[in-house]
Amino acid sequence: MREAGTSPDSYAGNLGYHVGDDPDNVDLWRGRLQDETGPLSWMSQVHGTTLVDAAPHVQEADGLLLGPGQGGAVMVADCVPLLLLGTGPVTRGAVVHVGRKGLLGGIATKAVHALRSAGATDVRAVIGPSICGSCYEVGEEVAAEAEKDLPGSASTTSWGTPSIDIPGTLVRLLEAEGVDVDLVEACTMEDERFFSHRRQKGRAGRFAGVLVLPG
Ligand SMILES: [Zn+2]
C-alpha cells in the first residue's frame, strides 16, 4: 500500500472508489477511518430510494439500516449525509444518502418509518454538511418540479437563480415526522474543508457520514 499523499491534493482524504482516485489511496483512507470506528458497511449509491440491512459486502442502495454493534457509512460531496438514531424498545440506526432525487423520492421518511417499524420509536437525526439552498443552482423546470412535489423546497441562489434547498427541506420533512433534528450548518460548496462536486467541478473526492451503534 502506498503512503498517503500520492493522490492529487484535491483527493486527500477521499473515501470513494468511483471518483477517479487511485484505489490504493482510498483503501488507505478507509483503513484509517475504520481504525477509529471499527468495520463499516458501505454502499454503492445510485440516487435511488432503496434501503438495505447493513452487510459486510457492498450493496447497491442509498440507505443502510443498522442493528446493535453495526456501523455504516454514507459517502457525499454536496448531497446530504443523513444519520438517524432510533431508540425505544429496540435500538436501530440508518445512514442515508439524500440528494435531490432521494429527497423527492421520499428516502428520508422511508428510513424513519423503517426504524419505527423495527421498534425504535424515538428517532433523532443529524444532517451533515451539504450544499445549501443559496448555492444549489438548478434549472427553472427542475426547481418547479421540486416545488410541486415538496412545496417550499424551491429556493434562490445568492446570485439570484433558481435553486433547491435540500437540507432545509429535509429538516421540515423530518420534524413533521416527529424527529428531533440536529442540522450541521456547513455548506460544502462554500466551506473548503469539505469535498464539493459542484465547487471542484466533478473532480471531488467523497467524505462520509458515519454511524456506529453500540453492541
Ligand atoms: Zn452554500
Side-chain angles (χ1 to χ4, degrees), residues 43-207:
M43 295 175 276
S44 170
Q45 302 166 190
V46 293
H47 293 275
T49 57
T50 301
L51 307 171
V52 295
D53 291 325
H57 60 282
V58 175
Q59 303 173 84
E60 187 173 291
D62 286 273
L64 288 174
L65 300 170
L66 307 171
Q70 291 185 313
V74 48
M75 290 177 285
V76 288
D78 286 342
C79 290
V80 171
L82 170 65
L83 311 181
L84 297 170
L85 174 64
T87 54
V90 304
T91 298
R92 289 288 184 276
V95 293
V96 189
H97 171 233
V98 189
R100 176 176 61 86
K101 288 183 183 165
L103 178 79
L104 295 174
I107 194 170
T109 48
K110 186 177 172 184
V112 172
H113 295 165
L115 299 189
R116 289 208 170 117
S117 41
T121 47
D122 187 15
V123 182
R124 295 166 54 195
V126 175
I127 294 175
S130 62
I131 191 166
C132 80
S134 299
C135 289
Y136 183 44
E137 180 178 65
V138 296
E140 211 166 307
E141 281 173 28
V142 173
E145 201 175 301
E147 183 65 22
K148 197 173 102 212
D149 286 0
L150 285 176
S153 60
S155 188
T156 309
T157 60
S158 55
W159 53 97
T161 56
S163 75
I164 297 175
D165 182 357
I166 295 179
T169 305
L170 201 46
V171 170
R172 286 192 293 107
L173 286 179
L174 291 168
E175 287 182 344
E177 291 288 330
V179 173
D180 187 18
V181 182
D182 185 1
L183 171 68
V184 177
E185 299 262 8
C187 170
T188 46
M189 186 144 155
E190 296 171 71
D191 187 333
E192 295 195 359
R193 288 177 300 168
F194 302 104
F195 291 122
S196 168
H197 181 74
R198 286 283 177 101
R199 175 171 34 82
Q200 296 173 299
K201 309 209 184 321
R203 289 194 47 84
R206 293 293 181 274
F207 66 97

